[in-house]
Amino acid sequence: MTQNRLLDDSSNRLDPRIARSEAAIRNALLEQLRSGRSFTSLTVSEIAEHADVTRKTFYARVGSLEQLVERMVLDLFKDISSQIDDRMLIMPVVGNTLSIMVLNQCEEHKAVLAPLVRRCSASLFMEPLSEVLGHMLARVTDVNQTPKLEPVEQAYLVATIASVIHGVLSVWVKRGFCDAPDRIANFADTILVEGLQKIMQAGGSQSASST
């Protein structure tokens, strides 16, 4: 995936023709996944035909099938993260308000999220999720005025959070979203939020002791 994709593509999406063709391509992919097709069985030619675009247009708009899924995942979680108020990021986090809000948003987007989670490889989620999480960690650092994590620490932390998020969503999707968001939030927060706060606090303590 192209680095900093959170910030690009905006000029292209101002063009209605580009927006229409990309929407058609996305819908064509989702329709095939919902029909039971596995992602690995799909071809560019099939998706282009169902979207009523040429292969040339497909490649120009989304690059490849893998890049298409990555961008869809990125856009979905970028939209969710944009709705998180800075006040929700103040540590120590009290209650499950943040996690419940994120899970509610995931449920609202289940028409897109479910087929992607069910039919696509977890590897296609990791990079876009990591990009969004990297921006979120920067916001947490700014809001709480904590020292920035070392790049290696952040890389491990982001990868761990992304893996847990995908794992939780995979089970939730498999169970048909039958579990209440607050129940999942209690479980997820025990794994993610408490650990995140400890790592941030430890980083702050180490920085203070080194000065």
Side-chain angles (χ1 to χ4, degrees), residues 15-142:
D15 188 326
R17 295 169 301 174
I18 293 177
R20 282 195 298 270
S21 59
E22 185 169 332
I25 291 169
R26 291 183 180 217
N27 288 334
L29 172 66
L30 290 172
E31 286 174 6
Q32 292 304 303
L33 296 176
R34 289 173 189 141
S35 73
R37 294 286 299 277
S38 67
F39 176 76
T40 54
S41 73
L42 297 174
T43 66
V44 169
S45 295
E46 284 182 285
I47 299 303
E49 181 178 354
H50 283 285
D52 196 25
V53 300
T54 65
R55 283 170 54 92
K56 181 179 179 180
T57 296
F58 179 97
Y59 287 121
R61 298 292 182 262
V62 299
S64 67
L65 287 172
E66 290 77 14
Q67 288 174 310
L68 171 59
V69 171
E70 287 180 330
R71 187 192 287 181
M72 292 173 71
V73 172
L74 177 61
D75 286 349
L76 190 154
F77 284 99
K78 176 186 172 184
D79 179 63
I80 293 174
S81 68
S82 70
Q83 299 181 53
I84 297 175
D85 189 278
D86 282 350
R87 290 171 294 183
M88 295 181 178
L89 305 177
I90 296 174
M91 296 189 295
V93 175
V94 179
N96 305 119
T97 303
L98 174 58
S99 296
I100 291 173
M101 187 277 281
V102 170
L103 288 165
N104 280 331
Q105 286 296 310
C106 287
E107 190 169 19
E108 286 187 16
H109 289 83
K110 65 183 179 182
V112 173
L113 184 63
L116 294 179
V117 170
R118 187 177 287 116
R119 302 297 178 188
C120 299
S121 168
S123 63
L124 296 177
F125 282 74
M126 292 302 103
E127 191 170 344
L129 264 177
S130 295
E131 186 172 337
V132 174
L133 288 169
H135 283 262
M136 286 301 302
L137 282 180
R139 287 180 61 189
V140 171
T141 298
D142 290 342

